[in-house]
Amino acid sequence: TCCQLKHNHPSMQKYRYVYFFITLAVYVLIICSNSIIIYLILIHQNLHEPMYIFIAALLLNSILYSTNIYPKLLIDFLSEKQIISHSFCHFQYFTFYTLGSSEFLLLSAMAYDRYVSICKPLKYPTIMTKKTVSVFLALAWLVPAAQIAGSTMLSAKRKVCNFTLSGIFSGILILNERVCKFTLPSIFCNNSVHKLHCVKSQAITICGVFLLINLTLCPVVFILYTYSRIFIITYRSSPEVRKKAAQTCLPHLLVLVCFSFLLTYNVVIVRLEADMPKTVFLIMTLQLVLYHPLFNPIIYGLKMTEIYRHLKNLLSSNNMHIP
């Protein structure tokens, strides 16, 4: 079973080499920028604290998130016929939503870490132990994987019908020697694959709502509640405490707002089948895999004082070795 995809956007084939080199440059930049911050956290002992470990995990998640999309996208830009197997399409779907959900759970763990650090500083060493951090990291990846797997299996078993939709990718789906023309309204396999099913599945819809609430809304509510408690307590404290809270909490909130906006677009607009121009759809979809993976290392590299200090020293030492 395979899907043969053909770009339906008129400028795709005409400017495919331009798109390829731009996409390649962005992907390399994402890998390098995130990897540098992870490297700094690993090699510096004073960064081996729960807050920085969670940041490293978040940046690693961004690398995996991008790698799920960019290599296949680069191949598609250079190919006359864009081909993806039915099973790999659902693997990409599974990985995309698993890593997206892990982002919210990692941000939840970071919010809890900041809450304990600022509001219960005397208990911090006994609460945020290495074991606790390890459990949080494991749950952040395993819980979404287990839950998204159910939705993926439901989608993969659904029958695909012979109809065409308006979107960015169009092509042919070959199922048991039966040819089905279709259009996949996205640049990668996300919940748009549900539009190819013959009959809308109530089970998939219910499962999707459950996952949205459990893996997105609940973590966001927890994060907002945690930070509201932090800001209430710090407002009554000294200016030094307020400054510390702002330096460590605001970057997390910026990342949360950015990612929440993009994921809300992907989940809600696509599922509601909103009618919008293909160029707008393409730009909005690209934001999911462009802005956020670049946004994280910039925010944490520039706004986190200790990371910025080590990053500045690294860049200064490299400049000294240039003849």
Side-chain angles (χ1 to χ4, degrees):
T1 302
C2 67
C3 305
Q4 180 176 308
L5 304 174
K6 183 179 180 181
H7 294 291
N8 199 33
H9 198 273
S11 65
M12 284 292 183
Q13 289 298 319
K14 184 177 180 180
Y15 300 109
R16 60 178 179 168
Y17 293 110
V18 175
Y19 289 138
F20 172 82
F21 286 111
I22 292 175
T23 304
L24 178 62
V26 170
Y27 182 51
V28 171
L29 183 59
I30 288 171
I31 297 297
C32 292
S33 58
N34 284 276
S35 297
I36 288 173
I37 306 299
I38 294 173
Y39 169 75
L40 291 175
I41 293 173
L42 289 177
I43 65 170
H44 293 288
Q45 193 67 33
N46 68 324
L47 297 182
H48 292 180
E49 298 178 7
M51 178 178 65
Y52 299 110
I53 293 173
F54 288 132
I55 290 175
L58 198 70
L59 298 181
L60 175 61
N61 199 71
S62 292
I63 292 175
L64 297 174
Y65 178 87
S66 302
T67 302
N68 180 49
I69 307 298
Y70 278 91
K72 181 64 176 69
L73 191 59
L74 289 169
I75 293 171
D76 286 341
F77 283 140
L78 293 181
S79 303
E80 292 292 336
K81 295 181 179 180
Q82 291 72 42
I83 299 174
I84 184 171
S85 69
H86 187 255
S87 57
F88 183 79
C89 184
H90 279 90
F91 173 78
Q92 193 177 59
Y93 165 96
F94 165 78
T95 306
F96 175 74
Y97 287 109
T98 296
L99 295 175
S101 301
S102 296
E103 187 95 7
F104 286 104
L105 295 184
L106 287 170
L107 287 170
S108 298
M110 295 165 75
Y112 179 73
D113 172 74
R114 290 300 84 205
Y115 171 77
V116 176
S117 174
I118 295 171
C119 302
K120 300 181 181 180
L122 298 179
K123 296 182 179 180
Y124 184 81
T126 57
I127 295 177
M128 296 304 297
T129 61
K130 289 183 179 180
K131 182 178 179 180
T132 302
V133 172
S134 299
V135 170
F136 282 168
L137 291 176
L139 291 176
W141 279 303
L142 294 179
V143 169
Q147 296 188 21
I148 299 295
S151 174
T152 304
M153 287 189 287
L154 284 174
S155 178
K157 291 179 180 179
R158 300 296 298 176
K159 184 180 179 181
V160 177
C161 271
N162 185 24
F163 62 86
T164 303
L165 296 165
S166 177
I168 296 171
F169 287 111
S170 63
I172 299 172
L173 176 64
I174 304 174
L175 293 168
N176 298 326
E177 299 182 354
R178 182 170 63 88
V179 177
C180 298
K181 294 182 180 180
F182 77 99
T183 298
L184 183 63
S186 182
I187 58 173
F188 56 90
C189 293
N190 53 14
N191 58 12
S192 59
V193 300
H194 297 155
K195 296 182 180 180
L196 304 178
H197 298 156
C198 296
V199 180
K200 288 186 177 181
S201 171
Q202 188 175 5
I204 291 178
T205 301
I206 294 173
C207 184
V209 172
F210 168 78
L211 294 175
L212 180 63
I213 294 173
N214 193 40
L215 297 177
T216 303
L217 294 182
C218 286
V220 168
V221 170
F222 173 79
I223 293 168
L224 294 178
Y225 171 77
T226 302
Y227 282 125
S228 66
R229 294 293 301 165
I230 291 174
F231 290 134
I232 289 172
I233 292 174
T234 54
Y235 180 76
R236 302 168 183 169
S237 304
S238 63
E240 291 76 14
V241 174
R242 289 199 295 269
K243 183 179 179 181
K244 177 186 176 183
Q247 287 178 340
T248 59
C249 294
L250 287 180
H252 305 329
L253 287 175
L254 287 172
V255 171
L256 174 66
V257 171
C258 172
F259 196 66
S260 296
F261 171 78
L262 294 176
L263 203 63
T264 298
Y265 157 77
N266 177 258
V267 173
V268 176
I269 301 299
V270 176
R271 189 170 287 277
L272 292 178
E273 300 183 15
D275 185 20
M276 63 178 66
K278 294 174 185 177
T279 302
V280 176
F281 199 108
L282 174 63
I283 293 171
M284 291 297 292
T285 306
L286 282 173
Q287 289 183 65
L288 289 167
V289 291
L290 174 61
Y291 296 152
H292 186 66
L294 286 174
F295 188 68
N296 280 355
I298 292 173
I299 287 296
Y300 291 119
L302 298 180
K303 295 298 183 181
M304 302 298 288
T305 306
E306 286 298 316
I307 295 179
Y308 176 72
R309 184 170 62 84
H310 289 298
L311 180 61
K312 188 176 179 180
N313 291 337
L314 177 65
L315 296 176
S316 299
S317 62
N318 288 339
N319 289 334
M320 290 177 63
H321 289 90
I322 297 176

